[in-house]
Amino acid sequence: MNGVFAFLLVQASLVFVQADFKAECDLVPADFVFLLDSSGSETTKGFKTQLAFISNFTSNFEVGADKAQFAAVTFSTGVHKNFYLNEHATQASVLDAINKIQYSDGETYTDLGLNFVRNNVLQANHGARPNVAKYVIVLTDGRSNDNSKTVQAAMALHNVPNVTVIAIGIGHAIDVNELHIIATDRNHSFVVNNFDLLHTLEVELVDKTCTLCGDYPADIAFLIDSSGSESGAQFDNERNFVSMVTNEFAINPNDTMVAVSQFATTSRTDILFNQYPDKDSLLNAIARIQWMNGESNTHTGLNELAHHVFQVKSHNIHHGHHGHQAVTYGPRSESAKIAIVLTDGRSLEPDQTIRAAHQLHNMGVEVFVIGMGHSVDFRELQQIATDRDHVYRISSTNDLAAIHTNIVDAICKLKVPPPTTTPMPTTTTTLPTTTVKQACGQKPADIVFLLDASESEQAEGFGKEIQFVYNFARKFHIGPQNVQFSSVTFSSNVRNDFFLNTYSNRHDVLNAIQKISYMQGGTNTSFGLKFVRDNSFKPQNGARTNATKIVIVITDGQSADSAATKHEAQLLHHQGVLVYAVGVGSDVDSSELKAISSNGTPILVTDFSLLHDIQASLETAACHGGT
């Protein structure tokens, strides 16, 4: 059995979701154009560094007609089109095309490059999409041959709708004023002293261009199972899930609106779409929702959504001593309409349930279903949901918190304007707000990576470990109030790369991860585990009493002293630390990995290139916190 699949099966108690790796920027479509200086002052070496930089940048995005698209143009004395936005439909194809870009030498006619991008690359016939954010990334190492023409060309480019220009100057010969003028604004111009420092810009530039959630308005209705089996803690878990998902979005009449209904023997709506216009009042209202008790008449809840929540009508709302007031409520005409149905059993009237669900589908509502527990009818869930990808299964309501980010990601994909709609009002000078999902909800986590840097890893394998850690860490809010990361490397000896409190923000942590070096030597796993136990979770090194403590061990072989390794793992477990053991390759000692892992179930992958396949599951496991 494939190790990744085996891991998914044994993690069933956590959440039944596929562990597909998602690049950080897979949620909102964008058109990227690289404009590369190929003049004589660049030199072949400098030009190759530019290509490496744009390759690394591109690898952060999912590529496709409804995802990110890329184009590249080089300029010197003349302009050369390398490829248009619609020439490459996969990330691999784009990266291959970047690799083939040739250095051309010559003068620095930046204006010709800017004009070519505006007049050719950003045209619909070459793949530029209407109503999609467009980023032009200009790299240059000097001043242009004709400053006034460059200024004119930049101004004309700024006037193109939805375009943001990012200007990167490299070296000491650049004209900083010209760079500021080329960029959309000063926040989008960067200077690095030499080509080798380009990679330090990558994280910041990805942040500037990556929007994890679309800003198209969404009307989200939750339908909570309030039947007899959902009493007490289970109902609290459902209500908390609604709060966690709601908390991830901007709540206002121009962005996200939320409604909440329940079903048992009958149904009722507790919160209407425009009843609470701001997040605080909405979250307070969610916290006040009371359990109904009764049978599982799922169809009454679905009908409640179809006939009341997603219909625009007048409704009497009680306003305390002011009496009742008639208010018009309902979804907005130009919004993504989403229903999230939570159920822990099969409906009493399956035919009526399916009919009610189809009515919602026909109204254009995207229906997600979360089946909680082992009494659900999976076929019924599939018929209630818009499609199979909209069905989630978890073993109990305890796992709702762990999958809330899966639901948030799914909603974010729908908060993108459909291509046929009129464009939302936009300005050309501001970027969409960049947010990194707070993947562990309200609970902080202290996460320590324990990395095998022994001889058998080889430098290439260790590099993939570092890439995995980097991709993992960048998915989280990092800081003293959120998630903290530490890294420890072991071979014959142990090296502390950084403690939990060494870095207090995401940018510094990611930079530190990139600098972790390979060690070589033996596989003294026990030394690494002992170091973590004695040092990493000490308060003076940043460990917090209210945080879930997690160690993720990655190794490709058996330790030099298996008995000592198992003993040290047990001591860590006794401290209340959750340990996940990731074994890479065919030389691992599975009994040792079982002993290292808190739940006795190691994660096995056949080679380092498969590490990213387990990322989503490990994120979910880490956020789940063992509760």
Side-chain angles (χ1 to χ4, degrees):
M1 182 184 288
N2 175 292
V4 177
F5 185 59
F7 169 59
L8 285 175
L9 285 181
V10 298
Q11 290 293 331
S13 61
L14 277 175
V15 56
F16 291 76
V17 289
Q18 272 191 300
D20 290 331
F21 172 71
K22 290 198 298 295
E24 185 177 8
C25 299
D26 65 345
L27 297 178
V28 177
D31 290 338
F32 292 96
V33 182
F34 298 114
L35 182 57
L36 307 174
D37 185 343
S38 183
S39 60
S41 52
E42 287 280 329
T43 73
T44 307
K45 184 182 175 214
F47 189 72
K48 280 185 175 167
T49 312
Q50 281 193 77
L51 296 187
F53 170 74
I54 68 172
S55 283
N56 288 339
F57 178 84
T58 303
S59 64
N60 287 292
F61 296 82
E62 280 196 18
V63 175
D66 58 347
K67 296 172 183 171
Q69 295 186 151
F70 290 87
V73 173
T74 48
F75 69 90
S76 55
T77 308
V79 179
H80 179 72
K81 182 272 294 183
N82 302 108
F83 51 92
Y84 284 127
L85 290 162
N86 55 359
E87 283 186 42
H88 299 284
T90 66
Q91 188 193 77
S93 179
V94 174
L95 294 174
D96 186 52
I98 289 171
N99 202 34
K100 291 175 178 163
I101 296 175
Q102 299 291 314
Y103 174 55
S104 58
D105 203 348
E107 302 293 328
T108 311
Y109 284 100
T110 317
D111 60 303
L112 297 181
L114 294 167
N115 284 329
F116 184 86
V117 167
R118 177 172 57 87
N119 294 326
N120 297 277
V121 182
L122 295 178
Q123 299 302 312
N125 60 319
H126 291 140
R129 295 166 290 183
N131 315 327
V132 164
K134 296 167 181 63
Y135 300 98
V136 178
I137 300 172
V138 183
L139 287 93
T140 179
D141 78 331
R143 62 189 66 213
S144 66
N145 278 46
D146 192 327
N147 177 261
S148 62
K149 282 188 177 176
T150 297
V151 170
Q152 279 180 322
M155 291 299 132
L157 186 56
H158 295 168
N159 289 330
V160 178
N162 302 318
V163 167
T164 300
V165 183
I166 297 170
I168 302 172
I170 307 157
H172 304 287
I174 52 174
D175 180 338
V176 176
N177 288 329
E178 185 176 87
L179 205 66
H180 289 330
I181 289 166
I182 291 172
T184 291
D185 56 42
R186 288 192 172 218
N187 290 330
H188 293 95
S189 67
F190 301 87
V191 178
V192 293
N193 292 332
N194 61 54
F195 286 100
D196 294 333
L197 289 175
L198 263 183
H199 71 272
T200 62
L201 260 184
E202 187 190 334
V203 173
E204 190 168 355
L205 200 53
V206 168
D207 279 354
K208 277 212 182 298
T209 57
C210 171
T211 306
L212 272 174
C213 207
D215 52 8
Y216 191 70
D219 293 322
I220 306 169
F222 293 90
L223 180 60
I224 302 176
D225 188 337
S226 195
S227 60
S229 51
E230 284 300 319
S231 62
Q234 287 93 341
F235 186 77
D236 289 347
N237 286 338
E238 289 189 86
R239 193 172 50 201
N240 290 341
F241 169 79
V242 174
S243 293
M244 289 177 80
V245 175
T246 299
N247 197 38
E248 299 272 10
F249 295 97
I251 304 297
N252 64 62
N254 298 317
D255 198 306
T256 302
M257 301 296 274
V258 168
V260 184
S261 303
Q262 303 184 64
F263 69 91
T265 307
T266 58
S267 62
R268 77 165 185 236
T269 295
D270 294 278
I271 297 171
L272 305 166
F273 274 131
N274 59 355
Q275 193 171 345
Y276 300 97
D278 64 86
K279 187 180 285 187
D280 285 346
S281 62
L282 176 60
L283 290 174
N284 284 335
I286 292 168
R288 293 194 300 269
I289 293 173
Q290 297 297 310
W291 176 54
M292 288 170 65
N293 197 359
E295 303 292 336
S296 289
N297 279 324
T298 317
H299 69 281
T300 64
L302 295 169
N303 281 328
E304 180 79 11
L305 295 185
H307 297 151
H308 298 289
V309 176
F310 284 106
Q311 296 282 358
V312 178
K313 55 175 69 176
S314 187
H315 191 81
N316 284 328
I317 294 180
H318 184 61
H319 280 278
H321 60 274
H322 295 297
H324 287 79
Q325 181 182 347
V327 175
T328 302
Y329 75 92
R332 294 157 291 180
S333 56
E334 296 292 325
S335 68
K337 292 161 188 64
I338 299 158
I340 299 165
V341 180
L342 288 80
T343 178
D344 79 337
R346 58 192 69 212
S347 66
L348 292 180
E349 300 286 349
D351 291 346
Q352 291 189 54
T353 297
I354 304 311
R355 266 204 301 279
H358 287 166
Q359 188 173 7
L360 277 174
H361 302 166
N362 293 336
M363 291 168 68
V365 178
E366 293 269 350
V367 183
F368 293 87
V369 183
I370 302 173
M372 307 173 295
H374 304 293
S375 302
V376 291
D377 180 341
F378 187 56
R379 286 187 62 193
E380 184 174 85
L381 297 184
Q382 288 181 316
Q383 290 178 292
I384 294 172
T386 300
D387 58 44
R388 282 176 171 230
D389 291 339
H390 287 52
V391 178
Y392 296 79
R393 290 168 71 194
I394 54 179
S395 58
S396 82
T397 59
N398 289 333
D399 300 324
L400 281 169
I403 68 157
H404 95 276
T405 49
N406 299 84
I407 301 296
V408 169
D409 283 357
I411 293 170
C412 283
K413 290 190 177 184
L414 299 172
K415 279 173 61 61
V416 178
T420 51
T421 62
T422 52
M424 297 292 293
T426 57
T427 61
T428 56
T429 55
T430 57
L431 281 163
T433 307
T434 299
T435 55
V436 178
K437 62 189 177 186
Q438 189 160 345
C440 288
Q442 317 307 313
K443 188 166 186 178
D446 289 339
I447 302 176
V448 179
F449 277 98
L450 183 55
L451 306 175
D452 183 346
S454 61
E455 212 128 73
S456 54
E457 289 278 332
Q458 298 186 330
E460 185 188 0
F462 188 74
K464 286 176 179 170
E465 275 189 79
I466 297 304
Q467 192 61 45
F468 170 75
V469 174
Y470 178 92
N471 285 334
F472 186 94
R474 72 179 188 179
K475 292 294 187 75
F476 294 83
H477 273 310
I478 294 176
Q481 307 307 316
N482 296 294
V483 178
Q484 296 185 145
F485 283 96
S486 166
S487 174
V488 175
T489 309
F490 69 91
S491 59
S492 299
N493 299 305
V494 179
R495 179 185 67 207
N496 184 60
D497 300 308
F498 51 92
F499 283 121
L500 291 163
N501 59 356
T502 305
Y503 303 107
S504 59
N505 64 69
R506 183 167 164 266
H507 181 267
D508 290 347
V509 168
L510 294 178
N511 268 346
I513 290 168
Q514 285 185 310
K515 290 175 182 161
I516 297 172
S517 60
Y518 177 49
M519 286 169 72
Q520 288 188 316
T523 310
N524 282 327
T525 317
S526 60
F527 291 10
L529 291 167
K530 184 177 189 323
F531 180 91
V532 170
R533 178 171 59 83
D534 290 342
N535 300 279
S536 301
F537 290 115
K538 290 280 188 281
Q540 64 265 34
N541 293 326
R544 299 163 294 178
T545 52
N546 66 328
T548 304
K549 293 173 175 56
I550 296 162
V551 176
I552 299 172
V553 184
I554 305 178
T555 178
D556 80 331
Q558 41 201 310
S559 68
D561 187 337
S562 188
T565 297
K566 290 174 181 177
H567 177 65
E568 286 298 337
Q570 286 302 115
L571 294 175
L572 257 184
H573 300 165
H574 291 153
Q575 283 189 358
V577 177
L578 278 172
V579 185
Y580 294 94
V582 181
V584 184
S586 54
D587 293 332
V588 291
D589 179 340
S590 56
S591 72
E592 183 176 278
L593 289 175
K594 279 180 186 175
I596 294 173
S597 177
S598 290
N599 64 1
T601 310
I603 305 160
L604 302 172
V605 292
T606 50
D607 63 65
F608 285 100
S609 60
L610 289 174
L611 267 179
H612 69 264
D613 289 348
I614 63 161
Q615 175 148 343
S617 289
L618 207 47
E619 280 172 32
T620 302
C623 290
H624 186 67
T627 54

